Amino acid sequence: MGSKTRIIILQMKEIIYTLVFVVLALLMIFLFIYMFFLRNNTKSSEPASAPTYTPGVYTTSIVLGDHPVSLQVNVDSDHINSITTAPLEESVTAMYPLLESCLEDISSQLTAGVPIGEVTYDDSSQYTASILLNAISAALDKASN
């Protein structure tokens, strides 16, 4: 019988290091598979469709202090054409100086095709922008089919 018994001496520290590196390697492999293959497959296969509106001008009002402000949203069947306010009183423009500039910024983004949930605005006009976006959203809800 020509087989010789071999004895291998492994230190426990080497075994622990090897197991840790194997577990980390497996974790990285699963992470890469998830990031590059599984994540792309979970997206819906249907393309995101543009919202459908009934063409027309839809009006909603905002009350700023004691003064109501009328906001008009002009839409086509698939996008927003313009957003305007009814002529503002001088007292409203004096009390809310960011109203017109913020509305112009939001209007330019929405008419360019940016979805209402992705509209960006300055931190200095966040409250004015949130009031305007809520009013525009209410008008668009009226316009939705």
Side-chain angles (χ1 to χ4, degrees):
M1 315 260 184
S3 69
K4 293 183 181 179
T5 306
R6 293 187 181 186
I7 299 175
I8 299 175
I9 299 174
L10 296 174
Q11 292 181 355
M12 186 60 107
K13 187 174 20 173
E14 292 174 357
I15 293 173
I16 291 173
Y17 286 149
T18 304
L19 288 175
V20 167
F21 286 126
V22 167
V23 168
L24 286 175
L26 288 173
L27 184 65
M28 286 180 58
I29 290 170
F30 287 127
L31 182 67
F32 286 135
I33 289 172
Y34 173 75
M35 285 176 52
F36 295 114
F37 299 110
L38 298 179
R39 196 172 191 185
N40 291 337
N41 294 337
T42 59
K43 292 181 180 177
S44 84
S45 59
E46 299 175 9
S49 62
T52 306
Y53 303 119
T54 303
V57 177
Y58 295 90
T59 305
T60 188
S61 63
I62 308 168
V63 178
L64 299 174
D66 293 333
H67 306 284
V69 176
S70 179
L71 190 70
Q72 299 174 347
V73 180
N74 185 356
V75 295
D76 276 345
S77 62
D78 58 348
H79 75 287
I80 301 169
N81 289 333
S82 66
I83 302 170
T84 58
T85 58
L88 296 175
E89 297 177 16
E90 287 183 27
S91 60
V92 174
T93 57
M95 292 297 293
Y96 302 97
L98 295 176
L99 184 68
E100 290 181 16
S101 63
C102 187
L103 181 64
E104 287 175 9
D105 182 39
I106 291 172
S107 177
S108 66
Q109 291 181 48
L110 290 174
T111 55
V114 175
I116 196 163
E118 297 176 11
V119 170
T120 59
Y121 46 85
D122 293 332
D123 290 337
S124 62
S125 62
Q126 67 182 357
Y127 300 112
T128 305
S130 66
I131 290 170
L132 290 173
L133 287 172
N134 287 338
I136 293 168
S137 180
L140 292 177
D141 287 343
K142 293 177 188 179
S144 294
N145 290 336

